Amino acid sequence: MGANKHNPDNRLDNVEKIQDAIENTEENIIAANETLSFSSGEEKQAIQDKNERRRKSIDGMKEEMQDEQEARESGYSNDNI
């Protein structure tokens, strides 16, 4: 068997990646809301439920982004990643 090499954890751009994910999720909420007027009752409820899950996900991503920002400010270095 060949040796599997573990990829190092590169946290240097995590804040930016999380911010992009938040923006994409917010755009998905907007797009879904635009379809509500064309949806039936059951579809509307499914869209609203999914958007609520998206909002909760955004809250979690914001917390994670804050953690990453604090780690960045406390000086993690390439030796630690």
Side-chain angles (χ1 to χ4, degrees):
M1 284 191 176
N4 290 331
K5 208 172 187 185
H6 178 69
N7 291 331
D9 181 21
N10 185 345
R11 297 175 65 185
L12 296 177
D13 62 352
N14 280 3
V15 172
E16 291 78 12
K17 286 180 180 178
I18 295 168
Q19 182 62 43
D20 287 343
I22 290 170
E23 290 171 7
N24 290 338
T25 304
E26 289 170 338
E27 290 171 7
N28 288 341
I29 290 171
I30 292 167
N33 283 335
E34 290 173 355
T35 66
L36 282 174
S37 63
F38 305 106
S39 303
S40 69
E42 192 172 301
E43 291 169 331
K44 282 183 184 184
Q45 188 60 50
I47 292 167
Q48 291 168 339
D49 291 346
K50 189 164 189 172
N51 277 348
E52 182 58 32
R53 292 190 299 274
R54 286 176 171 138
R55 286 183 194 94
K56 288 178 182 177
S57 177
I58 288 171
D59 290 342
M61 286 187 280
K62 286 180 178 179
E63 288 178 20
E64 183 179 356
M65 189 171 70
Q66 179 64 36
D67 291 345
E68 287 294 329
Q69 184 63 39
E70 288 171 6
R72 178 184 284 180
E73 289 170 1
S74 68
Y76 60 67
S77 66
N78 284 331
D79 295 338
N80 299 338
I81 49 179

